[in-house]
Amino acid sequence: MNRTKAIAWLYSELPELIRGSVLSEEASQALRRYYGDVHVRDRSSIALIVFSVVGATFIGLGIILMLAYNWEELSRPSRTVLSLGLLLVAQGCAGYTLLERRRSLAWREGTATFLMLSIGASIALISQTYQIQGDLGNFLLVWMVLTIPTFYLLDAVVPAALYMVGITIWSGYVQSQHGHALWFWVLFAALALYSIRPVLKDSTTPRAILMAWTGSLGLTIALGITLEKSLAGSWIMVYAAYFSVLYLVGTRWLTHGDSLWLKPLTFTGAVGTVVLSLMLSFEEFWSEVGWTHYRTQEGYYQWVSVVDYLLLAVLLSIAMPLFVAACRLREEDRIAFGFLPILAIVCYGLAGVGYPTLFPKLLFNAYLFGLAVLIISRGLRIMALRVTNAGLLILTSLIVARFFDSGLGFIERGIGFILIGIGFLATNFLLVRKRKAA
Amino acid sequence: MNKNTYLLLFVCACVAQLAIPVSMIASRELILRQGEVFRFRTVPVDPYDPFRGRYVSLRLFPLSAPAPIATFSYQEKAFAHIEVDDDGFVQFKALSLTPPDDVPYLKVRVRGVAPRQLTGAGRPGDVPTHVRVTLPFDRYYMQEKLAPEAERAYIDGWRREGLSAYVSVRIRSGSAVIEDLYLDGKPIRQYLAEKSTR
């Protein structure tokens, strides 16, 4: 049970305890003053929102399927009227919500989602009716741009989350067609400006959490797609800075609650750091990296690459002050995760000037090992099994990765895996025993 | 923001959201009502667009137009001058960077240069005389079940009976809308309906 719920439970028990003369009224008030106000989310309202969105989606899909059943028999004017009619109905529902139900989150989320899906369906149906060619990229771009007013005006996060998915798919499609996805950042800015509001207002609400998850995970994917990568290996530094920013910002400002669900930035930053470091602990990722391998072939737009450098500059300008602050406060974990971009830039520099790829590999192996030891020792210190196991998992991943590229035989690997397993079990056993004794 | 401001912004958003599909409809209706009809030979295949339904992918002819190749660059917009051959199908007699005044034309994109027309006669060393173009239409949308049936019908008919296929297209001021796909001289739906009753 998390802390908020525990306190809420205690408050609910106080009247009974006073009636039973277990606690006095003064003691009860003292307890309330000590723990302060708590806000436990009403799960029924969350369920209502989820069901309204699911319901709106199914209604939209059901209407489309019913139209599709007799579609071939309908004349072109009939199809046109139905296609536009679907959109008008969705707009009508959204308008009604704005007029009469603006305070209802369920209405806003449901009608906004219905409207967003109707926009796409309407354009698709008309394209099919009039044999309009075009391509998937143009269709997605128009659909997403027309969705922007929907989540702003109805203040709905579900269409905003779907919008992030849509613009990410759009950027992937455009890049796959040898274009560039520079407009992704303009489209993302439209989402970011909307998302900041719920997160700043109350970062523990489901809406804010959903936007934080959507943004952090979506950007993790979108960065890889949209980076132009004319400067070979520049993605290493950008991703390192990005995950560092996520972790440092998450552990500085979005620290409420114990559950991982409530810490999207911290979780994405931490996992991203480990995965990236694991990848970079392989020599293969450091081959042909650096300014001597600058790409000018067809498909690489030099002027779009400026965005890569701007992104790196912005991310570093956020990460570095937070890293310095963490150093001053001697916050070990934040120092460790904040160090990643510095390490990435140093290693990139080494690879760029022609040092053997063994150097960056060794440095990242050392970094990962240090990170694992730090997390394990922290877990043992605060007697948190989850933290200790996370550190052990990182260490295990590192050892397994080295097993696979070290050329060891089956017997050696088998012994190694057995020892790792024993290490896992022994650490968990000792920790549980220690907690019971405490 | 007060309620009236929200409503005003919402109305503006609705107008923008309607403007796109309405403009799509208006421009295509104009072409379908006032455009001239042309026939393009085609060879159908069957891929799938998950967002916009099943369609028959069209490999259309002609694929190139005679033109001085040095004038054009890759992906450049151009205007293909249309003439109709003895069989009633479209051929491109020229390509220009500006729309012609005296003949019907189609907006295309430049794809590359071909030694001769794409008849397989080109050999290394031949001087390119034609510019390859990409037509603005390459698919015919159909109901889910009909598209693969159309492909099967064409391939079977082509192998056994030498069946031909073409699309009828309305063209107006260089813009085109496909009217119908024909197999063996009949609209595809009619052909499939007759085939299923045989």
Side-chain angles (χ1 to χ4, degrees), chain B residues 5 8 15 65 74 80 116 145 160 187 191:
Chain B
T5 314
L8 180 63
V15 167
Y74 178 65
R116 304 268 184 221
K145 289 180 189 171
R160 291 184 211 146
Y191 178 88

Side-chain angles (χ1 to χ4, degrees), chain A residues 72 76 80 87 91 94-95 98-99 102 119 126-128 130-133 135-136 146 149-150 153, chain B residues 3 6-7 10 13-14 17-18 21 24-25 28-29 32 51-52 136-141 143 177 189:
Chain A
E72 281 295 312
R76 198 173 67 238
T80 304
L87 180 56
Q91 287 175 335
L98 270 179
L99 275 170
R102 203 145 66 96
I119 294 169
I126 289 168
S127 296
Q128 199 190 48
Y130 286 91
Q131 300 291 338
I132 295 172
Q133 309 292 300
D135 69 359
L136 181 62
L146 291 177
T150 305
L153 291 172
Chain B
K3 200 175 179 179
Y6 267 112
L7 277 176
F10 178 70
C14 288
Q17 287 165 356
L18 281 167
M24 286 159 72
I25 293 164
R28 266 73 185 185
E29 277 291 333
L32 285 169
F51 282 97
R52 292 181 294 174
F137 39 87
D138 63 356
R139 59 193 65 173
Y140 181 74
Y141 287 102
Q143 197 200 36
V177 176
R189 289 169 186 81

Side-chain angles (χ1 to χ4, degrees), chain B residues 125-145:
Chain B
D126 281 351
V127 175
T129 57
H130 283 66
V131 176
R132 275 204 301 262
V133 296
T134 305
L135 300 183
F137 39 87
D138 63 356
R139 59 193 65 173
Y140 181 74
Y141 287 102
M142 294 186 74
Q143 197 200 36
E144 287 260 331
K145 289 180 189 171

Side-chain angles (χ1 to χ4, degrees), chain B residues 60-163:
Chain B
L60 293 153
F61 299 91
L63 296 173
S64 64
I69 56 158
T71 318
F72 301 94
S73 46
Y74 178 65
Q75 292 283 24
E76 189 172 22
K77 281 185 199 169
F79 300 90
H81 302 203
I82 295 172
E83 68 178 2
V84 177
D85 64 17
D86 296 335
D87 296 323
F89 291 101
V90 163
Q91 295 292 336
F92 293 144
K93 68 175 184 185
L95 194 68
S96 60
L97 290 172
T98 53
D101 298 320
D102 51 344
V103 293
Y105 60 92
L106 180 66
K107 291 178 200 165
V108 296
R109 278 205 184 262
V110 172
R111 244 181 67 200
V113 300
R116 304 268 184 221
Q117 289 193 34
L118 292 180
T119 57
R123 291 168 300 179
D126 281 351
V127 175
T129 57
H130 283 66
V131 176
R132 275 204 301 262
V133 296
T134 305
L135 300 183
F137 39 87
D138 63 356
R139 59 193 65 173
Y140 181 74
Y141 287 102
M142 294 186 74
Q143 197 200 36
E144 287 260 331
K145 289 180 189 171
L146 290 181
E149 271 185 55
E151 181 199 30
R152 276 194 297 274
Y154 175 76
I155 291 173
D156 287 346
W158 179 73
R159 279 187 190 142
R160 291 184 211 146
E161 301 162 48
L163 204 67

